[in-house]
Structure formats: C-alpha cells, structure tokens
Amino acid sequence: MTLDRILQSQGFGTRRYCGDLVAAGMVEVNGEVCDDPSAQFEVEGLQIAIDGEPWTCHAKAYVMLHKPAGYECSQRPIHHPSVYTLLPDPLRLRGVQAVGRLDQDTTGLLLLSDDGQFIHAQTSPKRKIPKIYEVTTAEPVTEAQVQALRSGVQLDDEPAPLAALACEATGERSLRLTLSEGKYHQVKRMVVAAGNHVVALHRSRIGALPLDPALEPGEWRWLTPEDLAALTRKE
C-alpha cells in the first residue's frame, strides 16, 4: 500500500493531508525520513513516526483498555466522559468501537476494534463467551447467595431464572461471577435478586483473555497474536 494510504488507514487524516505530511518530510518509516507519498510498504507492523511521534501500523485495530470508573462506553456520553477520550486520536479517527459495553461505574477489561466481523463474533449470544467479574458487595456474602447465583435467580423482566456459569466467594464481601450473557445491568441485578448489593464491579477476563495486570486504569495496548488466539480458544 502507498504510504499516504497507509497513514490514512491508520487515522492520521485524509489521503491528501497524509500525502502533504509525507511530502513535507514529517514522516519517518523504519527510522528514516520518507518524502514520497507513493512509496509502497506492507502495513502490518510498519514502524512510522509522524513529526517525531512513533506509531506501529496495524491493518486492523484490536485493542485492550483498562476501563476506569466514571466513563461511558458511548460516542455520545450523557453524564460522564466518553471512554473513547482515553484513546489516541488515530485510533478514534479510524473508527474503533467498544466490543460490548461496561457501565460507567464498572472497571476492567474492555476490547475495542474497527473489525466488524471480530466485534460481531465477540458479542454474538450464540458463542456464549464467558466473562469473569470481580464483585464487591455491600453485605457479607453467604453460601446461600452463592448457591442462588449458581442455580439461578429470577429477574423481573426475564421469563426464566438466570444462572451464573460459575460463582465463588473470594472474601467476606466479595465474589467472582462468570456469565456468558450481557443483559442490562445483569451482574448487579442478579446479586440484588440473591439478597445482596453490588458496590464495585470489575471485569477481569473475557474468554481465556485476562486483563493485562501491567495496564493501569485508563491505559491501553494493542492485542498480540497470542491475545487474539486466547479469545477464540475454548477453555
């Protein structure tokens, strides 16, 4: 692909604008200035720098974000900042979308991508991808509550009880809950139905992919090939 098209595909602006950046000598490719917009390169893994700012090119964007509390998973947030403001401009401009949503006060693993097929595969109810949540509760967790969450609790607007794939107490006021669905406020509503109340909620894992412990809240990184393989691996 030509260099101007590569820059456009990475979210650095229109093709004309990107061509002007290259022609002005503001773009380095693999450590050397390239001033030819029509120069051809392979996109995946290409190391570029725009006015000294480094960037690794990817044909498709697959991103892991450690979502902090107080952010909405929406392009048009109502009450809180958008989670997309935590991403650099090129990722936002190339149109990455959250793969599912987390409530504004829920923290943890959030995936984003501009690959529509990937997003559909990860959010399809038919795949029943397990998601693990670390729950902090208002009251001490009882064995009866754990058993109720395992066997199924009835929610007002559901025709049948909803059961967790797995549930275990991890402390006096904490439990680990595994779900394969993503209904509206499901974890919070299930815990209430079991006789307790959620005061903090954190998603720690999607499928076989855990949140990178090196990521602080608000930080992001590209998914590796190993990460992508984990998302398709059945445990």
Side-chain angles (χ1 to χ4, degrees):
M1 186 184 294
T2 60
L3 185 54
D4 56 353
R5 285 189 179 276
I6 291 174
L7 297 185
Q8 181 187 22
S9 75
Q10 299 302 296
F12 288 102
T14 65
R15 185 181 179 189
R16 173 174 289 184
Y17 175 76
C18 292
D20 290 343
L21 287 177
V22 176
M26 298 178 66
V27 179
E28 295 180 13
V29 179
N30 296 328
E32 296 187 0
V33 173
C34 178
D35 58 6
D36 180 6
S38 62
Q40 301 260 348
F41 299 95
E42 292 290 334
V43 177
E44 194 63 36
L46 186 67
Q47 300 295 319
I48 62 175
I50 310 294
D51 199 19
E53 292 293 324
W55 188 261
T56 302
C57 297
H58 294 277
K60 293 290 185 180
Y62 305 102
V63 168
M64 170 190 297
L65 173 72
H66 185 165
K67 181 190 174 296
Y71 285 83
E72 295 182 26
C73 293
S74 172
Q75 297 280 10
R76 298 180 179 178
I78 299 174
H79 301 294
H80 303 273
S82 170
V83 73
Y84 296 99
T85 62
L86 299 170
L87 302 174
D89 288 344
L91 276 178
R92 299 206 308 270
L93 291 174
R94 70 186 286 175
V96 296
Q97 300 290 324
V99 182
R101 294 191 174 195
L102 293 177
D103 297 340
Q104 63 85 17
D105 57 349
T106 300
T107 65
L109 177 56
L110 181 67
L111 303 179
L112 301 104
S113 180
D114 60 356
D115 182 344
Q117 289 186 333
F118 172 80
I119 294 172
H120 176 73
Q122 289 297 312
T123 56
S124 173
K126 295 180 180 179
R127 291 197 59 201
K128 298 186 180 299
I129 298 173
K131 300 173 179 65
I132 298 179
Y133 297 88
E134 312 300 330
V135 185
T136 303
T137 60
E139 303 296 334
V141 176
T142 67
E143 181 60 26
Q145 291 168 0
V146 172
Q147 290 300 329
L149 290 166
R150 288 175 179 166
S151 60
V153 292
Q154 184 66 56
L155 304 185
D156 290 342
D157 57 350
E158 293 295 330
L162 296 181
L165 292 179
C167 180
E168 62 176 323
T170 54
E172 182 184 9
R173 296 172 186 262
S174 61
L175 54 84
R176 180 171 295 121
L177 197 64
T178 304
L179 302 178
S180 63
E181 301 168 291
K183 298 180 184 294
Y184 180 71
H185 289 172
Q186 184 173 349
V187 173
K188 297 175 182 177
R189 294 163 66 212
M190 287 180 67
V191 171
V192 167
N196 212 318
H197 182 75
V198 174
V199 297
L201 185 59
H202 177 86
R203 185 161 69 190
S204 59
R205 194 178 189 94
I206 297 175
L209 178 67
L211 175 64
D212 188 335
L215 288 180
E216 295 293 332
E219 293 183 341
W220 69 278
R221 70 165 174 80
W222 299 102
L223 293 184
T224 66
E226 293 75 19
D227 294 333
L228 291 169
L231 287 170
T232 59
R233 186 169 68 243
K234 293 184 178 181
E235 292 196 322

